[in-house]
Amino acid sequence: MGLNQTPAAERPHISFFGKRNAGKSSVMNAVTGQDLAVVSPVSGTTTDPVSKAMELLPLGPVMLTDTPGVDDSGELGALRVKKSYQVLAKTDCAVVVLDGTACPDADDLALIRRIQEQQIPLLVAVNKADLLPPEAAGNWPHAQTLCDTGIQPGQILVVSAATGAGIHALKERIAAAAKGQENGRRIVADLIAPDDLVLLVVPIDKAAPKGRLILPQQQTIRDILDCGAQALVVQETGLVRALQSLARPPRLVITDSQVFGRVAAELPADMPLTSFSILFARYKGDLETVVRGVTALDRLQDGDRVLISEGCTHHRQCGDIGTVKLPAWIAEYTGKRLEFSFTSGTEFPDDLTPYRLVVHCGGCMLGEREMKYRLRCAADQQVPMTNYGILIAYVHGILPRSVEVFPQIRRLLR
């Protein structure tokens, strides 16, 4: 990632959906002014979701995704359709592209209803305006079919990817819809004040990226600086010396979860402590849900299955936290013979019912909507779900202290 590049998880995700040959790829290319997606008259040219990070004025940094047609057929086509619908989990604004020369059919309406059910901001781009009579630009003859599904007239735009007609208006609507999803959430800035000192404990081991910090650490430091506070970064081996050298105690100490136990033992009992993973559980998902979920550890029995899921993909190192350390900590804490499964990146099972607990990473590589979608999937299937940092603090007996900065969460543990 370039030094000036906005992380993908922090960009609004704009996704284009529709049937084959409706012009999804052409409309996306017209919106961006670039040939981001392959365009062909051959039905089903887009066979997998294709994403591209870019700047889209007047919105700014975005992630654009072109998807396969939702009317694809056959066994392979069904898999492509499934992949298209999976994109909804991380979509902040959905653009449904219709062939303006035809009336919306069952596939179009099913797609729209699916998006509405997930409460995703929705725009309908009626493409091929160049093949319609001029009066259709302001009064598309099939608009009522869409309005019967709850679509408002202002959500329908008649455009032409071929001539560029209506594309500027579509870009403006996309920007407005995506900006409407901003909620002002912060990682840590709402817990501190200007000029406060925040001490960050960051282990540097062979798994750490050479020459840089991992994304949660970068983003947390930036959030601290943005609110006018000060950030001091140390390794766990230098924590005691750093504390002794300070003229004033830090307002908050934030540690990497892997050294939670050591940091808690070396830190004065009255010094506020939390972890990057706990902060991201709140920033990306629902802190209360994952705190409640961790208590499922106490109900696990021999033979139960536990899913450990990460939002990113990386080369597994010896002593990897997800596949080695977490299973060991869980087994030691529970004293049970458990079965562990592992997923990473975009992999996340539709069916979670075989598992008695899901343990997820902080989700720094996932958008807020996708992280909350995963939490909702687990809740709908009544499978407890927790977070790396929450679980590590819990098994080491320091979770109450780790959430002291969130009084409403601390009360849950009493």
Side-chain angles (χ1 to χ4, degrees), residues 137-213:
N139 186 26
W140 185 53
H142 305 299
Q144 188 57 49
T145 303
L146 298 181
C147 293
D148 290 342
T149 69
I151 296 287
Q152 301 299 310
Q155 294 174 267
I156 304 171
L157 296 95
V158 178
V159 305
S160 171
T163 67
I167 295 298
H168 178 74
L170 177 59
K171 289 170 62 175
E172 295 285 338
R173 296 285 181 86
I174 290 172
K179 281 187 174 294
Q181 297 298 291
E182 296 177 356
N183 59 13
R185 58 198 170 93
R186 304 297 295 270
I187 298 170
V188 69
D190 58 322
L191 304 175
I192 57 179
D195 296 324
D196 277 347
L197 175 65
V198 181
L199 181 61
L200 301 100
V201 184
V202 176
I204 302 296
D205 55 27
K206 60 184 179 182
K210 188 174 181 179
R212 62 185 175 90
L213 301 177

Side-chain angles (χ1 to χ4, degrees), residues 218-237:
Q218 296 177 39
Q219 291 182 274
T220 303
I221 292 171
R222 176 58 188 264
D223 202 42
I224 292 167
L225 298 178
D226 280 346
C227 76
Q230 302 172 29
L232 174 61
V233 183
V234 299
Q235 294 189 56
E236 75 280 12
T237 53

Side-chain angles (χ1 to χ4, degrees), residues 56-67:
L56 180 65
L57 298 176
L59 185 55
V62 298
M63 182 68 73
L64 296 176
T65 301
D66 187 23
T67 62

